[in-house]
Amino acid sequence: MTFWGIVSGTFLMLLVRYGADQAVLQRYASTRTLREARDMFLINIGSVLVV
């Protein structure tokens, strides 16, 4: 395992999680405005990075 292998694997895993997961997409679609969806996305990504 290399550093770049871990980084690229993690990126692809998160891309699938936040770009194609039905639960996440429904969460985005339930917001009233694009700004709310964007803010929720940034909070979610920030929380994942902290954890």
Side-chain angles (χ1 to χ4, degrees), residues 4-25:
W4 292 112
I6 293 169
V7 169
S8 63
T10 302
F11 173 76
L12 290 173
M13 179 187 67
L14 290 175
L15 182 64
V16 169
R17 167 89 172 119
Y18 292 104
D21 186 13
Q22 182 67 26
V24 174
L25 293 177

Side-chain angles (χ1 to χ4, degrees), residues 18 43-51:
Y18 292 104
I43 290 170
N44 198 358
I45 292 296
S47 300
V48 168
L49 292 176
V50 169
V51 171

Side-chain angles (χ1 to χ4, degrees), residues 28 31 33-46:
Y28 295 149
T31 59
T33 64
L34 180 59
R35 181 174 172 83
E36 285 181 358
R38 188 180 312 130
D39 290 346
M40 190 268 314
F41 175 77
L42 293 174
I43 290 170
N44 198 358
I45 292 296

